[in-house]
């Protein structure tokens, strides 16, 4: 996940977690964006500018005064802050005490699983972490409601007693890339994607080609049978083929084409290489629409520089466009996180409803 979760795991360092709880109109960051503020500085960003400056001031005041109560502050970007976005942003401020720090530690352990963090914005401090079934994972479960709408962005809701809660989905990355090839371009692509919301399986036959230090979102596979990792990839996962061998590229391409549920597929190479592969795939009976979906050459149109770092930047943009389109499509059907019939570890209380 982002630095806001991983960069301050020392429970002796006091900090405040700032979350974009709601955006009305245009804002510099989306709902759910976060930063952590300590007396020494900050990690991550809620968009910069005067809004972030004011948020840091408020957070440091909370730290100086040991104010442990969460709060929700409203900022009109144009009239009060002079920012050209012109919208209204609501920020939630949470003092990271021992209880919340333990909750964040549990969240770090669940980075590959969906979690929902619920924080009281009124009254005594209370926060809880739930899994997809609505079961309590960590936090002050005696106070926090465990029934609420499952939404893909952070929002503020209100329970039957009028108490406001920040409902903050902390979702595992949906995007997965299986990258074949640990050469210069493959290594550059891994570096370009290191801090982006995705998981990467990096495959090559040559174990010595992998660097000793890897980003947290990368898993390596040194194997003599790389085709197996085509079958092991998740449904709708992305594939990128750029090995040291055209023959291996061909075998991997064939295996990817045989997966009906494969997602975006990019193959490094020229237009000439594409024509050769198209001819061989057609001879093997691959449908024309599957062949047409193969991206080769890779990268954004108009970028001709072939330096590995340039190719990596271009392909990273290409993948982000694919992944954001898929994420937008996933927003179409809001679901209820927990229902009255779902099993729970504690009694059900009143639901909270979005404001």
């Amino acid at each position: 996940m982002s630095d806001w979760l991983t960069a301050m795991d020392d429970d002796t360092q006091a900090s405040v977690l700032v979350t974009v709880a709601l955006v009305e109109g245009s804002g510099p960051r989306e709902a759910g964006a976060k930063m952590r503020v300590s007396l020494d500085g900050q990690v991550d960003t809620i968009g910069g500018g005067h809004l972030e400056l004011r948020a840091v001031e408020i957070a440091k005041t909370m730290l100086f005064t040991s104010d442990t109560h969460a709060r929700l502050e409203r900022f009109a970007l144009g009239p009060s802050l002079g920012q050209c976005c012109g919208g209204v942003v609501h920020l939630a401020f949470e003092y990271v005490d021992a209880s919340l720090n333990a909750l964040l530690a549990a969240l770090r352990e669940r980075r590959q699983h969906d979690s929902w963090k619920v924080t009281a914005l009124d009254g005594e401090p209370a926060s809880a972490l739930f899994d997809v079934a609505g079961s309590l994972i960590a936090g002050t479960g005696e106070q926090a409601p465990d029934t609420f709408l499952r939404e893909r962005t952070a929002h503020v809701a209100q329970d039957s007693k009028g108490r406001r809660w920040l409902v903050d989905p902390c979702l595992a990355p949906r995007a997965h890339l299986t990258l074949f090839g640990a050469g210069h371009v493959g290594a550059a692509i891994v570096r370009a994607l290191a801090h982006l919301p995705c998981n990467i399986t990096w495959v090559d036959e040559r174990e010595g080609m992998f660097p000793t230090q890897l980003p947290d979102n990368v898993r390596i596979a040194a194997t003599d049978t790389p085709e197996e990792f085509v079958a092991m990839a998740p449904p709708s996962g992305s594939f990128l083929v750029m090995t040291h061998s055209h023959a291996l590229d061909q075998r991997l391409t064939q295996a990817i084409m045989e997966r009906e549920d494969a997602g975006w597929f990019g193959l490094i190479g020229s237009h000439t290489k594409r024509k050769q592969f198209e001819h061989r795939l057609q001879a093997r009976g691959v449908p024309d629409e599957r062949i047409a979906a193969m991206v080769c050459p890779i990268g954004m149109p108009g970028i001709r520089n072939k330096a590995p770092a340039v190719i990596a930047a271009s392909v990273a943009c290409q993948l982000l466009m694919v992944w954001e389109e898929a994420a937008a499509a996933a927003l179409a059907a809001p679901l209820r996180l927990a229902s009255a019939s779902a099993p729970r570890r504690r009694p059900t209380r009143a639901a909270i409803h979005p404001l």
Side-chain angles (χ1 to χ4, degrees), residues 5-344:
L5 183 59
T6 59
M8 290 187 182
D9 55 3
D10 179 4
D11 59 11
T12 65
Q13 184 179 22
S15 65
V16 170
L17 176 62
V18 184
T19 303
V20 178
L22 179 67
V23 180
E24 302 171 11
S26 179
R29 288 291 306 273
E30 70 285 354
K34 299 175 182 64
M35 70 176 181
R36 291 275 291 279
V37 180
S38 70
L39 292 178
D40 297 329
Q42 71 182 79
V43 292
D44 235 313
T45 178
I46 56 167
H50 199 182
L51 173 67
E52 185 161 300
L53 180 63
R54 286 286 299 119
V56 170
E57 290 174 349
I58 292 171
K60 288 191 174 183
T61 298
M62 292 175 65
L63 293 170
F64 276 121
T65 60
S66 298
D67 182 358
T68 61
H69 289 81
R71 65 181 65 186
L72 185 69
E73 299 283 351
R74 179 184 183 275
F75 300 88
L77 299 180
S80 62
L81 298 180
Q83 292 190 211
C84 60
C85 298
V88 176
V89 175
H90 300 252
L91 299 180
F93 295 81
E94 299 173 73
Y95 189 99
V96 183
D97 57 10
S99 175
L100 183 54
N101 201 68
L103 186 151
L104 295 179
L107 184 57
R108 283 194 294 274
E109 294 298 318
R110 291 180 51 82
R111 282 177 290 180
Q112 300 306 317
H113 303 278
D114 290 347
S115 304
W116 277 260
K117 184 171 73 68
V118 182
T119 300
L121 297 173
D122 305 306
E124 291 300 311
S127 59
L129 189 70
F130 298 97
D131 65 14
V132 69
S135 297
L136 179 68
I137 302 299
T140 51
E142 293 77 12
Q143 300 181 53
D146 60 358
T147 303
F148 46 86
L149 292 178
R150 178 187 184 187
E151 297 187 8
R152 296 298 180 98
T153 58
H155 60 283
V156 177
Q158 194 171 50
D159 65 21
S160 59
K161 297 180 179 179
R163 194 179 190 186
R164 295 174 303 169
W165 297 84
L166 171 66
V167 181
D168 186 13
C170 300
L171 306 181
R174 268 31 182 189
H176 183 275
L177 172 67
T178 305
L179 169 61
F180 296 95
H184 294 299
V185 177
I189 286 174
V190 166
R191 291 192 295 270
L193 299 176
H195 300 291
L196 299 182
C198 65
N199 288 312
I200 304 169
T201 301
W202 194 10
V203 185
D204 200 290
E205 299 170 302
R206 305 160 295 171
E207 186 171 3
M209 293 294 293
F210 295 109
T212 55
Q213 302 256 331
L214 291 169
D216 290 338
N217 63 343
V218 176
R219 178 174 68 98
I220 63 171
T223 175
D224 292 330
T225 55
E227 295 94 330
E228 293 180 355
F229 284 84
V230 174
M232 293 168 59
S236 302
S238 303
F239 296 92
L240 195 51
V241 173
M242 47 180 60
T243 76
H244 60 291
S245 164
H246 274 217
L248 178 56
D249 284 357
Q250 179 70 54
R251 298 202 310 271
L252 290 168
T253 297
Q254 181 71 31
I256 293 167
M257 291 292 179
E258 289 172 357
R259 277 201 61 167
E260 294 184 356
D261 62 350
W264 182 91
F265 165 43
L267 172 68
I268 197 169
S270 63
H271 289 286
T272 301
K273 181 177 180 179
R274 180 186 181 94
K275 291 296 183 184
Q276 293 173 348
F277 275 49
E278 283 180 346
H279 178 73
R280 293 168 187 168
L281 292 169
Q282 288 168 346
R284 288 170 171 79
V286 176
D288 289 342
E289 60 270 19
R290 295 283 290 129
I291 298 173
M294 178 178 68
V295 178
C296 181
I298 56 175
M300 301 297 291
I303 298 179
R304 298 179 177 83
N305 191 316
K306 296 182 180 180
V310 176
I311 296 174
S314 181
V315 171
C317 290
Q318 199 168 30
L319 286 168
L320 281 174
M321 292 174 65
V322 171
W323 294 338
E324 289 202 358
E325 183 177 353
L331 296 178
L335 303 174
R336 186 169 295 277
L337 173 65
S339 65
S341 61
R344 287 180 177 79

